Structures are given as C-alpha cells and as structure tokens.
Amino acid sequence: MIILKTAAEIEQMRKAGALVRQVLERLGRYVAPGVRTAELDAIAEEMILAAGGTPSFKGYCGYPASICVSVNDEIIHGIPGKRVLVEGDIVSIDCGAILDGYQGDAAMTFPVGDVSVEAEKLMRVTREALEAGIEMARPTMRLGDIGNAIQVHAESNGFSVVRDFVGHGIGRRMHEDPQIPNFGSPGTGLRLRPGMVLAIEPMVNAGGHEVMIMDDGWTTCTRDGSLSAHFEHTVAITDAGPEVLTLP
Ligand code: MF3
Ligand code: CO
C-alpha cells in the first residue's frame, strides 16, 4: 500500500531530511585518515538527539548503531566500530532520522584523503546516477524509468548496479511501499503520483553486481572484492517535479 503525503507532511519530512543532510555534511568534513568509524557514529547520534530527533537505524531489526559506515568493497550496512580509515579508502555513510514522527534517509560516499582515479570516477558516476534517477521522479513517469536511468548511467560507465538491495517509499516508517530497484525498463512499472515520497539509493559496484553478507549478519560486500559507492536522497514527487528533501 502506497501512502501519499500531504504538502504539510512533506514539509515535516523536509525538516527530518535537513537534519540527516546536516549530519552527513558534518561527517564528511570529519572523515580523514586515522578516524575510527565508531567516532562517526557517536557524532551522528549526538547531533540527531541534540536536534530532538531519533536515529531511525538504531534498533531497527536489531541494528546496533545510528549510521551505517561501509568502507571500500563494503556496499551497505557496515557497522561502525574499531576500524580506522586510511588514506585512499572510500567510505559510504548512510544516515536516517525521525523528527516529529517523519523520517529522512540519505547516504553519501566520501574519499579518505587522496583516492584512486577509479574510486573518484565510481563516486562521481554513482552521484550522477542518483541525479538521473531523481530527474525521472515526476508525475507521468513510472518506477522503471527511475531504475532505468540509474542503470544506464552506471553501466555505460563500465560499472554495475546492485540488484539485491533497493530503494523504498518513506514516511512515518523508514520502509514503505513501493520498492525502488536501481535497474529496470523505461515505461514499465508503477505510475508515479504527486505525494509519493521515495528514498532513491543507487549502490554501484566497480566490478560485478553480486553481493555477500558477512558473518555479523549486516555488512554487505561486493562478491568480487571490487569497490562500491552509495548515494541516497529522500525525494518527494510534486506536480512541479522532484523535490529533494534531504538538503541542508
Ligand atoms: N538507508 C538504508 C535503508 O534504507 C538504511 C537501513 S540500515 C538499518 O534500508 F540498519 F537500519 F537497517
Ligand atoms: Co534507505
């Protein structure tokens, strides 16, 4: 069941989105060689609580932290801990917060110091793929148009999109219908309508799309060990087109 949001609800979600984005920007400035991933989690949790929000990931299906921190071949759901970032890593940070009952959800991949040309390209292409998907998030388009735009941009640059994890509707709950694959055929699938709010989140691998889940039950890596990047925005579909809610 898809829950359409009123303009007032979208306004609420913009506030939750702004908080998430502020957390990500602060963490992005903090990322550097020598930083422990648990430090990033502590900063995020403190910021969300100080703003009167709730970290939506913490306790979700037993997830133990307020953000996901996924390094290099880790795609998503990396658990912050003792790992120390080193020069040349790329680090994907995913953050969700609830403010006044509404959710915001966003992710970005950051370079740690100087990174390889391939890593730079992977991050740029994944960000562009998200932008291409968002561009399709407007009335009259269909879900397959979003997935197709993302897939075509990633694959035409020699990368692959993860199939086993997808984006999602979002509102009072973090995961609402519909699921939003990062692949698909144009002109197919659910027709998009004003009031839908979608978390669009391409995960792009430098190698193959296959994933594996580590023994901690969360950390999801590329099967071939290749690098992966992840960018996510919470986006409202309005009569005027897509509106990104996870902006500062
Ligand atoms: N952005 C991710 C998602 O939409 C984050 C969930 S992590 C979890 O699914 F720990 F909360 F599951
Ligand atoms: Co999400």
Side-chain angles (χ1 to χ4, degrees):
M1 183 193 58
I2 293 169
I3 304 169
L4 298 178
K5 279 80 185 177
T6 64
E9 288 178 293
I10 290 172
E11 178 59 34
Q12 269 310 317
M13 294 189 74
R14 198 179 289 117
K15 291 178 191 161
L19 172 58
V20 166
R21 178 56 177 256
Q22 281 157 14
V23 171
L24 285 175
E25 291 193 349
R26 168 117 171 249
L27 296 180
R29 291 192 297 272
Y30 195 82
V31 161
V35 167
R36 214 175 271 281
T37 58
E39 293 173 55
L40 299 169
D41 185 54
I43 292 169
E45 182 165 325
E46 190 185 304
M47 274 185 84
I48 293 169
L49 295 176
T54 307
S56 44
F57 296 0
K58 198 158 191 173
Y60 182 88
C61 298
Y63 187 74
S66 294
I67 56 172
C68 302
V69 182
S70 308
V71 183
N72 296 337
D73 61 316
E74 296 172 354
I75 304 167
I76 48 167
H77 299 169
I79 300 173
K82 292 189 189 319
R83 182 167 185 164
V84 174
L85 299 175
V86 302
E87 178 97 15
D89 283 346
I90 60 171
V91 58
S92 300
I93 304 179
D94 193 344
C95 181
I98 308 167
L99 203 56
D100 296 327
Y102 288 92
Q103 303 258 352
D105 187 3
M108 300 174 76
T109 304
F110 301 100
V112 182
D114 278 331
V115 303
S116 68
V117 171
E118 190 199 33
E120 282 286 1
K121 180 182 172 191
L122 178 67
M123 291 187 290
R124 173 178 57 79
V125 167
T126 308
R127 193 181 338 102
E128 291 167 349
L130 171 58
E131 285 160 9
I134 291 171
E135 203 36 52
M136 296 295 157
R138 52 180 80 243
T140 75
M141 304 304 275
R142 290 168 176 264
L143 264 190
D145 294 312
I146 296 178
N148 183 257
I150 291 168
Q151 180 177 22
V152 165
H153 189 68
E155 292 181 354
S156 65
N157 279 283
F159 300 139
S160 66
V161 293
V162 169
R163 315 294 170 96
D164 292 358
F165 293 88
V166 296
H168 49 94
I170 180 167
R172 285 189 169 276
R173 284 186 303 122
M174 177 161 60
H175 293 143
E176 295 183 357
D177 288 338
Q179 294 198 350
I180 305 169
N182 296 300
F183 53 92
S185 304
T188 65
L190 183 79
R191 202 176 283 284
L192 304 178
R193 292 182 50 188
M196 289 180 177
V197 181
L198 310 176
I200 305 175
E201 48 178 319
M203 291 144 270
V204 177
N205 298 348
H209 70 81
E210 296 85 359
V211 312
M212 61 184 178
I213 298 176
M214 301 294 103
D215 287 339
D216 62 19
W218 284 102
T219 311
T220 302
C221 297
T222 59
R223 189 166 279 282
D224 59 11
S226 64
L227 292 177
S228 187
H230 179 210
F231 284 83
E232 174 178 25
H233 271 309
T234 299
V235 182
I237 297 174
T238 75
D239 284 314
E243 192 195 331
V244 177
L245 302 180
T246 34
L247 291 178

